[in-house]
Amino acid sequence: MIVGTRGSQLALKQTKDVCADLSKITGQDIEINIIKTKGDKITDSQLYNMDSKGLFTKELDKAVLEEEVDFSVHSFKDLPTELDEDLEIVAVPKRESPNEVLISDKSWDELTEGSTLGTSSLRREAFCNLYKKDLQLKPIRGNIETRINKVKDTSLDATIMAQAGLKRLNLDNNIKTIFPLDYFTPAAGQGALAVITRKDSDKKEIISKLNHYQSMQEVFGEKSILKELGVGCQWPIGAIARLNNDKFNLYSILLTQEGEILKECNETGSIKDAEDLGRKIGMIFKDYV
């Protein structure tokens, strides 16, 4: 089998982990095909100022559709809300931590007015404004190591990242603070991976053995909020689903870029109804966008 992936260190680590698990099932080695996406080629713009639909996925989708590769591995939060009709998410491996973290030599409380914080995420910008930190927010792009180094070399006082990527690359010693999920709510699907094949692929059944049901239901529930709204992952929306004592809870918050809370929603139900809960929140949010 051949897998398609982006070429960043994180994308390769994620793909190699998936391939290792799949090789245990199939007993076969999997060839890795690195494919550069539009998002990898653009390094000088805020993501939310660009047409972000398929920014990190379109070229990989094309490779799967044209059978250049058998499947692809993505960070789930990068996926557009609508997949090509001939593609399918056949597996979501067990989710890593979805939390947001602070990278800085200062604590969150020590970041005073005028401190510089790098982010190219509208959601993260909105949360910084929500807490009235009066930070100087500066655009930052690049891989995880690049962003860490910009803090270390004092170009910036801080940045905010997903904990999952740092853990996967064994860089979590750089974390200053792990934010609670209800304080700095992550992007829909954060911490999870998506394994995508053609709907008619003869490899679909074997690849689906990688799926972790709870993780899939969590991120499908979160993404269904965006799908109902018809928006992508660059909107200032945080969403997190958790299963506690057989109760499935989906929380989401909608903000303005300036940090005003437009609406918060909490829905609880059965894990099998995750997408219905997400659609319900999305319908509520429609009155506020």
Side-chain angles (χ1 to χ4, degrees):
M1 278 193 279
I2 305 173
V3 59
T5 180
R6 293 169 61 197
S8 72
Q9 192 174 351
L10 177 59
L12 284 170
K13 177 63 168 63
Q14 291 173 167
T15 299
K16 287 176 181 177
D17 287 347
V18 168
C19 290
D21 290 340
L22 188 56
S23 290
K24 289 176 186 174
I25 297 169
T26 65
Q28 300 173 355
D29 290 334
I30 296 157
E31 181 183 337
I32 294 176
N33 186 352
I34 295 173
I35 297 167
K36 201 157 190 177
T37 69
K38 181 180 178 182
D40 297 315
K41 297 171 186 174
I42 300 172
T43 59
D44 59 353
S45 177
Q46 292 281 64
L47 291 177
Y48 58 76
N49 288 331
M50 298 185 284
D51 177 9
S52 60
K53 186 176 181 182
L55 199 60
F56 295 105
T57 61
K58 192 173 182 180
E59 289 82 359
L60 285 163
D61 288 348
K62 183 171 180 281
V64 176
L65 288 166
E66 296 181 356
E67 300 184 74
E68 294 172 18
V69 299
D70 295 299
F71 66 100
S72 58
V73 177
H74 302 267
S75 292
F76 200 101
K77 71 175 182 179
D78 289 340
L79 294 180
T81 49
E82 295 285 351
L83 278 184
D84 185 284
E85 62 181 6
D86 292 322
L87 295 177
E88 182 178 348
I89 299 169
V90 293
V92 175
K94 187 169 182 171
R95 190 179 198 178
E96 185 50 274
S97 162
N99 294 69
E100 296 275 67
V101 297
L102 179 71
I103 308 297
S104 180
D105 61 359
K106 301 175 182 178
S107 70
W108 183 239
D109 289 338
E110 288 171 339
L111 288 174
T112 55
E113 181 179 347
S115 296
T116 55
L117 185 142
T119 182
S120 289
S121 160
L122 190 59
R123 175 185 51 81
R124 288 172 178 154
E125 183 177 324
F127 271 107
C128 288
N129 290 330
L130 168 65
Y131 296 119
K132 303 190 184 307
K133 300 288 288 182
D134 292 320
L135 304 172
Q136 288 187 54
L137 299 175
K138 297 190 173 183
I140 183 174
R141 293 291 309 281
N143 60 33
I144 287 177
E145 296 90 336
T146 298
R147 286 179 280 161
I148 290 173
N149 287 335
K150 284 185 178 179
V151 175
K152 284 185 173 179
D153 69 15
T154 70
S155 298
L156 296 166
D157 292 310
T159 189
I160 294 170
M161 294 188 192
Q163 185 179 11
L166 292 153
K167 289 183 74 172
R168 288 184 175 119
L169 292 175
N170 295 316
L171 293 170
D172 38 349
N173 60 309
N174 293 284
I175 295 171
K176 183 69 172 180
T177 303
I178 300 173
F179 293 109
L181 294 168
D182 59 352
Y183 182 83
F184 220 112
T185 311
Q190 186 158 297
L193 303 179
V195 184
I196 292 177
T197 68
R198 287 175 58 100
K199 282 184 178 175
D200 61 0
S201 171
D202 59 358
K203 313 288 196 311
K204 189 167 74 170
E205 185 176 348
I206 193 76
I207 294 171
S208 70
K209 294 182 183 295
L210 294 167
N211 191 53
H212 183 257
Y213 177 72
Q214 179 181 327
S215 298
M216 176 175 268
Q217 291 303 99
E218 285 177 2
V219 296
F220 275 28
E222 293 163 16
K223 276 283 190 177
S224 65
I225 299 170
L226 306 185
K227 189 173 181 179
E228 182 66 31
L229 284 170
V231 301
C233 61
Q234 286 303 317
W235 269 56
I237 296 174
I240 186 66
R242 300 274 86 179
L243 182 67
N244 293 307
N245 300 320
D246 295 327
K247 287 188 176 180
F248 186 82
N249 180 257
L250 179 55
Y251 166 76
S252 189
I253 180 170
L254 172 66
L255 301 153
T256 65
Q257 184 174 356
E258 294 72 31
E260 176 191 357
I261 297 176
L262 295 176
K263 186 65 178 174
E264 290 179 271
C265 284
N266 238 321
E267 293 290 337
T268 301
S270 169
I271 190 170
K272 66 181 177 58
D273 297 325
E275 290 184 83
D276 288 338
L277 297 175
R279 281 190 286 269
K280 185 175 180 181
I281 291 175
M283 288 179 70
I284 293 168
F285 281 178
K286 280 182 179 179
D287 291 334
Y288 296 88
V289 298

